[in-house]
Amino acid sequence: MDLLLNKDYDDTQNHSLPFDKASENKILSKMGSGYILLILLMFFIPTILIILSRTGDMHLILVYNLIAFSFGGFVLYHVVKEVPESESLQNMKLNIPQYLFYFILGYGLMMLGYLLTNVISSFFIPTLTNPLQSFDSSNIIATFLYAALLGPIFEELFFRKFLISRFARYGELFSILTSAFLFALYHMNFYQFLGVFFFGIILAFVYLRTNNIIYVITLHQLANFLGLVVPNLIGSDPTLVNYFNIFGLIIIVLAGIFTLYFVFKVKLRDGEVKLSKFDGFKFFFTNPSILIFIFIALIIGYLNLAK
């Protein structure tokens, strides 16, 4: 069974579009501008509404975040909709073993990222907190609706449907790493960066090979359910906490094994645009709009850290 969705890989696919730096920079700048507006709206809309309402009620704050999701998504779509979508996405289907493989791989790598961040932060940033623990059990329904149900829908539209569908023109490696990088920065929290980046890589690969937003939405929802809702349901019961920790450790170990298989067996495709890997990332990290997005995310991340 091909767990890696390598079927129909064509190593001899033709490239019909030469790389024109000026025109491609315009495309990347438009994409970057859309995501700059998104991250600003996602930060300022809830912040302003909280200030105006003078409330710390978690349920109301979650409503403010959903307003930001909706308005931010509307703006983002209208900014990037004229950017041409790639024709290199495949339309493969996931069977149950494949779905479980990618869930374990993605969720386990995300947990590994958080674990590594805990170790690193204990030496350098002892005040770093895990945002996954910011919801208490009294808000379990709101947490489920926002983080485990609705939030992943918006985020997968933003960073898989809107982004990868357009970045795939530069090749799978480029679109996987850049989309995962922007996805991680978008969370504006240093604790989450590694875990979300690792998870974003797997979600990006699945979307590239299936062109099916439902797969990545449900993978994301399931991961958030396990990471946010289940710990609240378990509470402080020592027996259940131990079982859940053992479950998490098993998933991380399996993800490590699956990662080796993935790295050595996966075959990444090129895109429609002729662009070497080095030139592609140089092109990405020297674009002014992308740099502004990175700067804003880092500043807000620092402000969150300083709270």
Side-chain angles (χ1 to χ4, degrees), residues 10 55 73 77 82 101-102 119 136 138 147 163 165 171 176 210 215 248 279 284:
D10 181 9
T55 182
Y77 170 75
E82 294 181 0
F101 173 85
Y102 287 108
V119 173
D136 59 63
S138 64
L163 186 63
S165 294
I176 287 171
T210 65
Y215 289 143
D279 288 339
F284 179 81

Side-chain angles (χ1 to χ4, degrees), residues 98-240:
Q98 289 171 328
Y99 187 91
L100 291 175
F101 173 85
Y102 287 108
F103 172 73
I104 292 172
L105 182 58
Y107 181 71
L109 285 177
M110 183 171 67
M111 292 299 102
L112 177 62
Y114 292 150
L115 181 62
L116 291 174
T117 304
N118 272 328
V119 173
I120 295 170
S121 65
S122 65
F123 290 101
F124 300 102
I125 317 175
T127 58
L128 199 62
T129 58
N130 180 356
L132 296 180
Q133 298 169 347
S134 62
F135 299 95
D136 59 63
S137 57
S138 64
N139 293 299
I140 187 67
I141 295 178
T143 300
F144 172 78
L145 291 174
Y146 173 76
L149 184 63
L150 300 176
I153 295 175
F154 285 103
E155 291 184 353
E156 292 310 308
L157 288 173
F158 298 164
F159 291 95
R160 255 57 71 177
K161 179 64 177 177
F162 295 167
L163 186 63
I164 289 181
S165 294
R166 291 162 175 84
F167 273 13
R169 64 192 276 109
Y170 306 116
E172 288 188 339
L173 180 65
F174 178 93
S175 56
I176 287 171
L177 294 181
T178 55
S179 63
F181 178 71
L182 295 180
F183 178 53
L185 282 176
Y186 157 85
H187 283 75
M188 297 173 280
N189 188 292
F190 293 125
Y191 180 93
Q192 287 183 295
F193 184 85
L194 269 183
V196 173
F197 177 73
F198 291 159
F199 191 35
I201 288 174
I202 304 306
L203 293 174
F205 178 80
V206 171
Y207 183 71
L208 278 166
R209 292 300 170 88
T210 65
N211 196 21
N212 189 323
I213 196 67
I214 301 300
Y215 289 143
V216 290
I217 286 175
T218 55
L219 286 169
H220 195 160
Q221 287 173 328
L222 185 56
N224 280 12
F225 179 81
L226 284 176
L228 287 167
V229 179
V230 171
N232 279 332
L233 292 173
I234 289 174
S236 57
D237 184 291
T239 302
L240 293 178

